[in-house]
Amino acid sequence: MTQIIAVHSFRGGTGKSNLTANLAATMACRGQRVGIIDTDIQSPGIHVLFGLNEEKINHSLNDYLWGRCNIKDTAYDVSHTLIAESGETGVVKGNLYLVPSSIKAGEIARVLREGYDVVRLNDGFQELIRCLKLDYLFIDTHPGLNEETLLSIGISHVLVVILRPDSQDFQGTAVTVDVARKLKVPKMLLVVNKALPAFDFTDLQKQVEKTYNISVAGILPLSEEMVQLGSKGIFCLRYSKHPISKTMKGITEQIAGLVISH
């Protein structure tokens, strides 16, 4: 059964797209058939990590939502990018597909002005799972809470909420967690990102888990290497031995261990 993983943050700038890309890439390297849908239609960007520029995108999620194409026409096989990123052949045992949202100003303006059919979006999720025979579908959500986000959270088997050790993030995450519980999401995991290396990670994990009564799947430190990479690639493949990469692999193992019927 395909597992739907929604990756969400209440506020922007948390590293949500980076986390989604790295978790999905790690899953693909493990031999899984994995899809990513960028539903952050107002501010898309995950395609950049896979080197998929505007010239290479013939159809985007926007085209599907406006009825211009089928959802399968918006899916790009980016498995080859993982091989290039790692510098090793044979490292990718599965497949990774990406459905990008349009970066064109006119398309973004139309979404902001008119909205879109959320029911059609849900149909697209299910059709993509069927036609690509996916083991995992990762949904890179729009920050905050809107109709699309509620759909993505509501249909997910696992909700991964990423937050920074910041008071505004803590408050917003409480709202997200409360909504997810009302929507009866089967499983939630928390990931703390951009934690100063000087922090006591054990104490931070205890504090966060006590606050939300949810397991912390991993704490990712603020990293000079991550900042230098600047979203120009997949971190866990470029720096496979880095502690952040090991933590991300640990998070994917926890997700893989959650075989949930929904």
Side-chain angles (χ1 to χ4, degrees), residues 189-205:
L189 295 171
L190 296 176
V191 174
V192 181
N193 194 22
K194 301 183 181 180
L196 289 175
F199 285 179
D200 185 321
F201 282 17
T202 300
D203 284 349
L204 178 59
Q205 179 171 342

Side-chain angles (χ1 to χ4, degrees), residues 192-197 201 219-223 226 242-244 247:
V192 181
N193 194 22
K194 301 183 181 180
L196 289 175
F201 282 17
I219 297 177
L220 305 173
L222 188 63
S223 162
M226 181 72 82
H242 196 282
I244 285 180
T247 299

Side-chain angles (χ1 to χ4, degrees), residues 112-254:
L112 294 172
R113 185 174 62 250
E114 301 177 17
Y116 54 88
D117 186 351
V118 176
V119 173
R120 183 170 174 81
L121 178 63
N122 184 44
D123 291 343
F125 290 158
Q126 304 306 325
E127 178 59 25
L128 197 70
I129 287 169
R130 285 192 295 271
C131 70
L132 296 180
K133 299 180 173 59
L134 298 178
D135 297 306
Y136 292 91
L137 176 64
F138 282 82
I139 304 174
D140 185 13
T141 67
H142 182 64
L145 295 173
N146 59 21
E147 193 175 8
E148 165 270 311
T149 300
L150 294 176
L151 166 67
S152 300
I153 291 174
I155 67 169
S156 64
H157 300 94
V158 180
L159 172 63
V160 178
V161 181
I162 182 170
L163 68 154
R164 295 161 297 191
D166 176 276
S167 295
Q168 293 183 69
D169 281 22
F170 270 56
Q171 188 173 62
T173 298
V175 175
T176 301
V177 167
D178 188 43
V179 168
R181 286 189 169 126
K182 286 181 168 61
L183 292 172
K184 295 181 170 34
V185 175
K187 187 67 179 178
M188 281 188 276
L189 295 171
L190 296 176
V191 174
V192 181
N193 194 22
K194 301 183 181 180
L196 289 175
F199 285 179
D200 185 321
F201 282 17
T202 300
D203 284 349
L204 178 59
Q205 179 171 342
K206 288 178 181 178
Q207 177 191 352
V208 173
E209 289 182 341
K210 182 179 180 181
T211 299
Y212 304 107
N213 194 26
I214 299 172
S215 295
V216 171
I219 297 177
L220 305 173
L222 188 63
S223 162
E224 185 176 343
E225 292 90 346
M226 181 72 82
V227 174
Q228 287 178 339
L229 185 59
S231 297
K232 293 178 182 176
I234 308 300
F235 187 89
C236 65
L237 296 179
R238 294 276 189 100
Y239 300 92
S240 60
K241 305 300 183 184
H242 196 282
I244 285 180
S245 301
K246 293 179 180 178
T247 299
M248 286 183 175
K249 288 173 184 175
I251 295 169
T252 61
E253 287 168 5
Q254 292 179 63

